[in-house]
Amino acid sequence: MYDLIVLLVLLALGYGFGRYAESSHYKSIIKREKVLNAIPAVASKVVVPPRNDLNSQLVSGSVVISIDYFKRFIAGLRNIFGGRVTSYESLLDRARREAILRMKEEAKKLNAELVFNIKLETSSIHKGRGNSIGSVEVLAYGTALYPH
Amino acid sequence: MEYSNPDLPEGINTSKEHPLKEFFILTVGLLAVVFVAISILIIIVDNFADKIPFDMEKELPISSFIDKLETEKLPPYLNEITQKVLNTFDLPKDMDITFHYVNDDTVNAFATLGGHIVLYRGLLEKLKYEDELAMVIAHEIAHVKYRHPILSTSHGIVVGIVLSAVSSSSGNTVINDLMGSTGMASLMRFSRDFEYQADKDAINSLIKLYGHADGALGLFEVFNSISGDAPSFEFLATHPLTNNRISQTTKIINKSSHSKGSTKKLYPSEFKIWLENQKQMKTK
């Protein structure tokens, strides 16, 4: 019985804090994306036409986000029934967009016009304790082009 | 070529469904699946478990568990009553019952695998009448007669198998807690049926012995009066005493009681002194 009460309290805490963190993170992401869209980030490997008037430099941004108790619980249930793990979808969406934003912020410091050949990498951090720690890292990197 | 990043619309990579809705559907679904699976398996197991020969049940390594309780030999009075009650039962030949006494304050008595019945001093002290004592003993003998220990062990195994199957597929320790309580709920439902069955037989046994079953009602009154204040009152955990159970037994008693207003037999004074001595021995 006590186990159940502890479980419900943890779920409520996870839900409350998780929801708050997610909604405030999304607000900040949407706001910064509007500004940083001035520096386009594209996946193409070459810039057409070639721009000899610009320098290039590697820019990167990485972010680590942890899941909350509630998200983990729902994902565990999804392991049984199958279907979209929606609780992780929004988590990874936030992580990818945040990583690109941090990369663009670095590009902005260089006064870059464009970041091309961008790539994303995702890894989970749990060091063999997958049952108790669940964090995800997303790294975004690309080549920034900036004036001489 | 012009390069640009447009403002992408929200909600492509995420779901608009409220997470609490998903949580509710999944949790209720899981609990329902677990409950139904356990219930079906228990019904199936019930058809097989009581076919296990009693001799095989006796060979289960239960004696080490009994030894750990520091059981003692029954005093002559208890021996006499247990034999008297035992004689009212028509038990199969291979079903022999071993009684144990434990000098401990725990208010409990239970029957377990292999026909072992354990009586605690704590419970004996709470009673005043031989009839009530006989009711306790008859109730436990009836559990053995109907093979309840092996049935509930099988139920426990079924619950364990279902829970471990589900929890290993979810790979989540959190969900185990949740399912543990569902498993218990389905177990409780079945164990209540056992209590009714055992009560019925115990009342018949009392009527055979004394011509009435006032001991049963007296026992329930004792339980009701002490259930509030005794933390060591374990009897209720293993023998749920619901209002249903009381009303059902009252019905049986009213139907079959031959002599109303009859008197119950008090404990003999030697036994009361013996209990008192036992308590002092324990406190030393």
Side-chain angles (χ1 to χ4, degrees):
Chain A
M1 192 61 209
Y2 288 112
D3 288 351
L4 209 60
I5 293 170
V6 170
L7 172 72
L8 288 176
V9 168
L10 285 174
L11 279 175
L13 284 177
Y15 177 74
F17 284 110
R19 278 289 266 194
Y20 176 73
E22 187 155 294
S23 74
S24 53
H25 191 197
Y26 263 124
K27 267 181 207 152
S28 138
I29 286 174
I30 291 165
K31 202 171 116 192
R32 285 181 295 151
E33 270 178 351
K34 287 218 163 78
V35 178
L36 287 168
N37 268 353
I39 308 169
V42 293
S44 61
K45 281 188 175 174
V46 286
V47 182
V48 189
R51 298 279 302 269
N52 291 327
D53 56 325
L54 296 174
N55 283 344
S56 71
Q57 189 181 314
L58 175 77
V59 283
S60 69
S62 91
V63 65
V64 178
I65 301 187
S66 173
I67 58 169
D68 57 62
Y69 203 81
F70 183 79
K71 281 186 189 295
R72 184 204 303 282
F73 189 82
I74 287 195
L77 292 173
R78 275 282 173 226
N79 267 353
I80 296 169
F81 292 109
R84 279 176 71 176
V85 190
T86 50
S87 66
Y88 283 2
E89 280 179 350
S90 58
L91 187 86
L92 278 157
D93 185 51
R94 276 159 64 197
R96 278 191 301 266
R97 288 164 76 172
E98 179 69 35
I100 291 174
L101 281 174
R102 290 185 183 180
M103 180 193 75
K104 281 186 174 182
E105 270 154 18
E106 222 181 278
K108 195 182 175 189
K109 280 182 208 154
L110 295 170
N111 255 335
E113 283 179 20
L114 175 73
V115 184
F116 75 104
N117 197 13
I118 69 160
K119 293 188 170 90
L120 289 167
E121 280 182 22
T122 311
S123 55
S124 50
I125 301 173
H126 54 69
K127 282 257 175 194
R129 294 183 60 202
N131 275 338
S132 50
I133 301 172
S135 307
V136 64
E137 189 220 12
V138 173
L139 167 70
Y141 57 99
T143 309
L145 291 179
Y146 62 99
H148 290 295
Chain B
M1 197 193 284
E2 277 286 310
Y3 290 102
S4 73
N5 279 167
D7 286 341
L8 293 172
E10 294 298 319
I12 293 174
N13 296 321
T14 55
S15 162
K16 282 195 185 78
E17 198 181 44
H18 200 278
L20 283 181
K21 187 182 159 201
E22 190 185 2
F23 170 77
F24 187 74
I25 292 172
L26 290 178
T27 311
V28 170
L30 177 70
L31 295 186
V33 166
V34 168
F35 192 83
V36 168
I38 288 176
S39 300
I40 290 174
L41 282 175
I42 281 182
I43 289 168
I44 294 171
V45 159
D46 274 356
N47 285 320
F48 295 108
D50 57 357
K51 310 277 186 306
I52 298 170
F54 196 75
D55 284 331
M56 280 172 81
E57 189 184 320
K58 273 191 281 190
E59 281 165 24
L60 291 172
I62 197 74
S63 53
S64 60
F65 163 72
I66 300 276
D67 288 344
K68 262 188 213 137
L69 299 172
E70 297 178 11
T71 57
E72 293 168 30
K73 253 183 78 181
L74 262 56
Y77 173 71
L78 269 185
N79 219 354
E80 184 199 319
I81 303 296
T82 51
Q83 286 312 315
K84 222 162 83 175
V85 177
L86 201 52
N87 288 337
T88 63
F89 279 87
D90 202 13
L91 295 182
K93 258 186 198 147
D94 61 339
M95 192 179 275
D96 40 48
I97 292 181
T98 323
F99 287 94
H100 305 268
Y101 161 79
V102 181
N103 186 8
D104 192 273
D105 291 331
T106 314
V107 184
N108 198 10
F110 64 87
T112 185
L113 293 171
H116 294 279
I117 292 178
V118 180
L119 303 166
Y120 283 86
R121 192 198 70 234
L123 178 63
L124 301 180
E125 274 175 351
K126 298 279 179 205
L127 311 176
K128 283 197 197 83
Y129 297 96
E130 185 188 305
D131 301 54
E132 294 166 1
L133 174 64
M135 178 68 191
V136 171
I137 295 166
H139 179 97
E140 302 305 336
I141 294 173
H143 275 318
V144 177
K145 178 186 162 189
Y146 289 114
R147 310 295 302 275
H148 289 162
I150 193 118
L151 284 171
S152 57
T153 307
S154 321
H155 294 174
I157 292 170
V158 162
V159 170
I161 289 172
V162 171
L163 294 194
S164 66
V166 177
S167 66
S168 65
S169 58
S170 81
N172 192 324
T173 49
V174 174
I175 292 172
N176 295 0
D177 294 345
L178 181 71
M179 289 188 310
S181 9
T182 343
M184 275 310 291
S186 32
L187 270 187
M188 285 296 275
R189 208 185 76 208
F190 284 91
S191 76
R192 276 196 202 122
D193 294 343
F194 290 170
E195 297 310 316
Y196 293 143
Q197 212 179 9
D199 278 344
K200 222 171 146 183
D201 261 45
I203 289 165
N204 286 335
S205 157
L206 281 194
I207 292 172
K208 272 186 204 162
L209 269 182
Y210 305 104
H212 61 84
D214 290 355
L217 289 181
L219 185 68
F220 289 153
E221 272 163 31
V222 172
F223 287 163
N224 265 340
S225 66
I226 55 176
S227 59
D229 52 61
S232 59
F233 191 45
E234 283 179 14
F235 197 81
L236 282 186
T238 49
H239 300 74
L241 182 72
T242 56
N243 286 331
N244 267 340
R245 190 177 154 198
I246 297 174
S247 64
Q248 178 180 313
T249 47
T250 320
K251 237 187 248 166
I252 305 172
I253 292 166
N254 288 339
K255 233 190 248 171
S256 50
S257 198
H258 300 301
S259 55
K260 276 185 182 154
S262 41
T263 47
K264 292 184 282 185
K265 253 195 212 170
L266 276 165
Y267 274 173
S269 52
E270 308 96 70
F271 185 59
K272 274 194 263 179
I273 295 166
W274 180 83
L275 277 177
E276 195 53 41
N277 287 340
Q278 287 279 304
K279 193 176 183 176
Q280 275 168 12
M281 261 169 60
K282 184 74 184 178
T283 43
K284 265 176 204 168

